[in-house]
Amino acid sequence: MARTGAWARRAPLLPALIFMIIATQLPFVATIVVSMMRWNAYYPDDVGFAGFDNFVTVFTDVNTRKAIWVTILLTLIVVIISLLLGLGIALLLDRKFKGRGIVRTLMITPFLIVPVAAALLWKHALFNPEYGLFNGFLKMVLGDDAPQPDWITNNPLLAVAVSLIWQWTPFMMLILLAGLQSRPMDVVEAARIDGASNWQIFKHMTLPHLRPYIELSTLLGAIYIVQNFDAVFTITSGGLGTANLPYLIYQTFYQAHDYGQASAAGVIVVLGTIIIATAALRTVLSLFKEEN
């Protein structure tokens, strides 16, 4: 009877479990199989088992190593700056002022925009050297002789990073604002009564309380930025040294048609993401334990 009751409770979940296995696990297993094959569409007669040769090629190829470095650098820049800006905005929005709800809604808006649309907005409406708002602002301030730089050509990686920072800062802000609003305010008020300054309260009370929320936002942000493809593809098309790992996989698969090497690079990205996701889940579980 106990076993029957357990299966009766789990049976409604089986369709969702089967769907998840078919939609996620089977394609990943197929990717692992392809990653161990020598398979290039330009050489249809030379298809066979390659073992770990594709993985060796991925780690020894100059372009791949550069893409790995670009991925790490882009992730660090976007996550750190977004985290700092999100913390500052969260501290401001945690204060009570008139119209706070409207301001919060407006601050969340960039995160709700489709990533491709956000990248197109920055590329054409802001960065464009002929009709972009940045160069128009320079003309308005400095006159007709103002410099009109090509922002993307001069600073390609920074241009991609700025668009991602603009979009992911609200995500960081939401998590940190939730952490700020979960503080025990009676303890904070007691510290103020005892003469503690705002900086002392922030350093010794607010920041330690926000530590797990900062870890969570950092890990989740890193998971998404590592996999980012839209901004690189839309703003620079992977040129000017901005090709990250997802874009390199796209080039290898759809342009070079080397399915084995592209699959090997994809497996490496997935494994790296799993490691980051595992750390994120542990942080989430630690938050729940603290709440309990």
Side-chain angles (χ1 to χ4, degrees):
M1 291 294 293
R3 290 183 179 180
T4 303
W7 276 107
R9 290 191 298 270
R10 296 170 183 169
L13 299 176
L14 284 178
L17 179 62
I18 294 172
F19 174 78
M20 289 297 297
I21 292 174
I22 294 174
T24 61
Q25 303 307 309
L26 292 183
F28 183 60
V29 172
T31 303
I32 294 175
V33 172
V34 176
S35 68
M36 295 185 177
M37 293 180 63
R38 185 176 58 258
W39 186 2
N40 192 312
Y42 289 123
Y43 306 98
D45 297 329
D46 187 22
V47 178
F49 182 73
F52 292 97
D53 291 348
N54 289 320
F55 292 93
V56 174
T57 302
V58 167
F59 283 112
T60 57
D61 182 66
V62 176
N63 292 327
T64 304
R65 290 203 300 268
K66 187 176 181 180
I68 293 173
W69 167 245
V70 169
T71 303
I72 295 172
L73 183 61
L74 186 64
T75 302
L76 288 175
I77 292 173
V78 174
V79 170
I80 292 174
I81 297 179
S82 298
L83 184 65
L84 293 176
L85 291 176
L87 178 59
I89 296 171
L91 290 171
L92 292 175
L93 293 181
D94 189 51
R95 300 172 177 268
K96 293 182 179 180
F97 57 89
K98 192 174 182 180
R100 183 172 64 169
I102 297 175
V103 174
R104 285 182 179 179
T105 304
L106 293 176
M107 291 303 303
I108 297 171
T109 303
F111 183 64
L112 304 179
I113 298 176
V114 178
V116 174
L120 287 172
L121 172 68
W122 279 89
K123 181 179 182 179
H124 294 291
L126 299 173
F127 287 141
N128 191 282
E130 296 180 3
Y131 53 81
L133 290 180
F134 287 161
N135 284 351
F137 179 76
L138 289 177
K139 273 191 175 183
M140 183 179 66
V141 175
L142 302 177
D144 294 334
D145 296 331
Q148 298 290 283
D150 190 338
W151 301 92
I152 296 176
T153 303
N154 296 342
N155 303 283
L157 188 61
L158 185 60
V160 175
V162 167
S163 68
L164 291 173
I165 290 168
W166 175 77
Q167 191 165 28
W168 285 97
T169 296
F171 175 79
M172 305 291 189
M173 180 265 295
L174 282 174
I175 297 178
L176 296 176
L177 185 59
L180 285 172
Q181 294 185 341
S182 66
R183 288 179 302 169
M185 294 307 298
D186 53 343
V187 180
V188 175
E189 292 299 329
R192 285 201 177 97
I193 293 173
D194 291 338
S197 64
N198 290 332
W199 170 247
Q200 289 174 326
I201 292 174
F202 175 77
K203 181 179 179 181
H204 298 289
M205 301 178 66
T206 303
L207 205 55
H209 176 77
L210 287 178
R211 184 186 63 81
Y213 296 92
I214 293 174
E215 292 176 358
L216 178 61
S217 56
T218 301
L219 290 169
L220 291 178
I223 289 173
Y224 287 110
I225 301 302
V226 164
Q227 302 178 58
N228 181 267
F229 172 80
D230 309 82
V232 174
F233 178 79
T234 305
I235 295 176
T236 63
S237 297
L240 304 173
T242 59
N244 59 353
L245 271 175
Y247 189 84
L248 183 70
I249 294 171
Y250 160 78
Q251 281 185 315
T252 306
F253 193 93
Y254 288 103
Q255 296 179 3
H257 296 289
D258 194 332
Y259 306 139
Q261 189 174 336
S263 299
V267 170
I268 292 171
V269 172
V270 170
L271 292 178
T273 306
I274 288 174
I275 293 172
I276 299 175
T278 302
L281 288 174
R282 288 183 178 178
T283 304
V284 172
L285 291 176
S286 69
L287 284 176
F288 284 128
K289 287 179 181 178
E290 289 183 4
E291 290 294 333
N292 291 334

